[in-house]
Amino acid sequence: MAIVPVNHTRPHLPGTTPTPKRPVRLVARDLDASELLAAHRHAWGQVTYALDGVVRVTVGNSTWIVPPMRAIWIPPRALHEVATLEKAKLRALYVHADIAPFKGEECEVLEVSALLRELIVAFAQVQAGEARESMLATLIVDELARSRTQPIRVALPTDKRLKALCEMLIADPASPLTLDEFAVRVGASARTLARLFERELGMSFSQWRQQMRLAHAAPLIARGLPLSHVASELGYASQSAFSAMFKKTFGQSPSSFFARKES
């Protein structure tokens, strides 16, 4: 994976720090697959969004897989890294902490409405200092605050053995390996790993694997793949088994959950 150097305490690019007079700034990066914006933090909040492509955002002990119809709000001062799972047109909105659309220290996965997408596209083209810049910024923050949030999150452990197991599954979500088989690979007993899952992640191995697979469904469905193909890619025995598990978790079918909402 190619690493794109990022200063840990300063913005990606000079001159993009949000201020009270210009509280929303935008950084556009067109990145190839398997590029990594190294872990960094800043005093302002950030909306990470890809017009095209899929990114993986990691903050603390959680990771999110974000397709084009979703974005992720990262609160001020949160240490985060962004990796591209495929070629992506990354658009990062920097939002001054004083006008943050979400309070607290938790990340939020947002539905990107048609209106919000077009506002971001327009904002990327505006000239600095134009009155239009201020008007678009106000509309963007208002639309962000109105965005529906979705619970697509995969918790990550700190224990090295458990983290190695989780990383293997994230890389290959359809892996049929059992906990006993993973135990041999990471050098710990299955009983120890089961105890670590409950202690560090608050769930069982099978529950975590299910959560991780559902998160991986997002980019596959975003590319328009048939649900039968998605189910196969994620290791489900059938489309109906995948759809049933999805609806049980999110309260609606995959097609409804990932439908683009018009605004």
Side-chain angles (χ1 to χ4, degrees):
M1 177 173 284
I3 298 177
V4 179
V6 178
N7 189 296
H8 283 238
T9 57
R10 303 178 69 180
H12 296 327
L13 297 173
T16 57
T17 301
T19 65
K21 288 186 177 181
R22 299 179 69 189
V24 180
R25 308 299 301 277
L26 183 143
V27 173
R29 286 180 180 271
D30 292 347
L31 301 173
D32 290 327
S34 301
E35 291 202 53
L36 175 69
L37 299 178
H40 61 287
R41 57 163 54 94
H42 33 64
W44 52 88
Q46 176 175 318
V47 177
T48 297
Y49 173 59
L51 291 172
D52 292 299
V54 178
V55 298
R56 176 183 170 191
V57 178
T58 301
V59 182
N61 66 340
S62 298
T63 192
W64 293 263
I65 298 171
V66 188
M69 77 284 288
R70 297 286 183 267
I72 184 167
W73 164 255
I74 302 170
R77 293 173 291 280
L79 185 66
H80 58 281
E81 71 174 27
V82 180
T84 54
L85 300 186
E86 56 187 48
K87 191 174 182 179
K89 294 182 178 179
L90 190 65
R91 302 295 181 263
L93 289 169
Y94 295 163
V95 182
H96 195 278
D98 289 348
I99 63 165
F102 301 97
K103 305 304 179 184
E105 300 180 355
E106 297 296 321
C107 294
E108 299 283 356
V109 175
L110 313 174
E111 287 189 4
V112 177
S113 66
L115 174 58
L116 180 56
R117 185 185 190 282
E118 293 308 316
L119 286 170
I120 292 172
V121 170
F123 195 71
Q125 299 170 349
V126 76
Q127 296 297 314
E130 286 184 8
R132 181 174 170 80
E133 181 186 39
S134 178
M135 291 187 289
L136 286 171
T138 299
L139 286 171
I140 285 172
V141 173
D142 182 73
E143 189 67 8
L144 285 171
R146 297 170 185 269
S147 299
R148 294 179 58 187
T149 61
Q150 297 288 358
I152 305 178
R153 169 182 175 270
V154 178
L156 295 175
T158 56
D159 181 89
K160 291 182 179 180
R161 297 162 296 178
L162 194 61
K163 189 172 183 179
L165 185 162
C166 291
E167 291 290 349
M168 281 189 279
L169 269 175
I170 288 173
D172 181 17
S175 171
L177 294 181
T178 65
L179 186 61
D180 287 298
E181 290 169 323
F182 275 117
V184 174
R185 296 194 175 200
V186 301
S189 70
R191 179 175 297 182
T192 295
L193 292 175
R195 187 166 58 248
L196 287 170
F197 266 108
E198 293 290 348
R199 188 178 74 194
E200 291 207 16
L201 303 177
M203 64 186 76
S204 68
F205 166 70
S206 60
Q207 288 171 327
W208 185 89
R209 173 148 61 180
Q210 171 190 308
Q211 186 181 77
M212 177 273 304
R213 284 176 169 174
L214 291 175
H216 268 280
L220 299 177
I221 295 174
R223 288 201 293 267
L225 294 180
L227 290 182
S228 58
H229 187 92
V230 174
S232 176
E233 286 283 312
L234 298 179
Y236 286 90
S238 65
Q239 175 182 331
S240 59
F242 166 69
S243 295
M245 186 57 65
F246 196 102
K247 189 169 185 178
K248 180 180 178 181
T249 303
F250 295 114
Q252 54 187 313
S253 68
S255 56
S256 297
F257 186 87
F258 289 102
R260 196 180 279 280
K261 302 295 189 301
E262 299 299 329
S263 298

